[in-house]
Amino acid sequence: MNTHTETDIIDSDFNPIDSDLYAKAFQLLDPAPEPAALTTRATPAAPAQVPLNPPVAPPVRLTGPVEKTLTDALTFLDTHGWARRSLVHPEGARCSIGALRAAAGARNAAYCDAGNLLLDEARRQHGKKWETIPSWNDSHSGAQVRSVWEAAIRRAQHMNI
């Protein structure tokens, strides 16, 4: 067995240390204060220096429920794949509305608002004729669909929703 214990360590492996080294170092770091009686004159205390512009941590930006739903849905599409003409493809890919449903988990307010924002962005980029997300999704390429998703996420972020 090749297990080493503390007794296996040979003292000659280590360099000898000056025993006063630590005492000298601590004295330099924390010199003994002079007693008040030994000081001959009192010196006024220097005013504390306060930086004019103290460092400020950047504000934490909270992600709104609509932005989170859109972001999670796009991540779902990136992970499982994007599909046309099928809510859920047998191999797991989904269309835009299918990814939105998977990300929201339920047809709640965030789901509805995210869907409305996505469809509005699809209409901005591809014309007002689109009535539903599935009809728009099935009529465009993957790159065009992704562009709309990314723009909708940016809008949700900008609107802080």
Side-chain angles (χ1 to χ4, degrees):
M1 186 181 256
N2 291 335
T3 305
H4 294 286
T5 62
E6 289 182 25
T7 57
D8 293 338
I9 299 173
I10 301 171
D11 289 337
S12 64
D13 290 345
F14 300 99
N15 294 328
I17 298 176
D18 180 5
S19 60
D20 294 328
L21 180 65
Y22 288 112
K24 291 175 189 174
F26 285 117
Q27 185 178 18
L28 290 172
L29 292 173
D30 188 26
E34 296 180 27
L38 295 178
T39 56
T40 56
R41 59 184 168 149
T43 56
Q49 292 184 358
V50 178
L52 295 176
N53 296 323
V56 177
V60 176
R61 191 185 73 75
L62 299 175
T63 303
V66 174
E67 179 187 354
K68 181 176 180 351
T69 301
L70 290 167
T71 302
D72 290 350
L74 184 57
T75 301
F76 188 93
L77 290 174
D78 289 341
T79 304
H80 299 286
W82 170 73
R84 285 185 182 158
R85 296 173 198 74
S86 175
L87 186 65
V88 181
H89 190 272
E91 293 178 10
R94 293 191 181 217
C95 71
S96 291
I97 198 74
L100 198 58
R101 287 180 184 172
R107 294 185 185 184
N108 54 26
Y111 166 81
C112 293
D113 292 343
N116 287 332
L117 188 63
L118 185 66
L119 184 57
D120 185 58
E121 188 58 39
R123 289 173 177 158
R124 279 182 171 200
Q125 289 188 28
H126 301 287
K128 304 276 186 208
K129 68 180 183 177
W130 304 109
E131 296 293 323
T132 65
I133 292 172
S135 64
W136 158 77
N137 179 85
D138 294 348
S139 301
H140 292 86
S141 70
Q144 291 170 320
V145 169
R146 182 173 189 80
S147 172
V148 169
W149 276 97
E150 290 171 347
I153 291 169
R154 283 191 303 273
R155 283 180 59 196
Q157 185 179 31
H158 179 73
M159 295 167 64
N160 200 28
I161 56 173

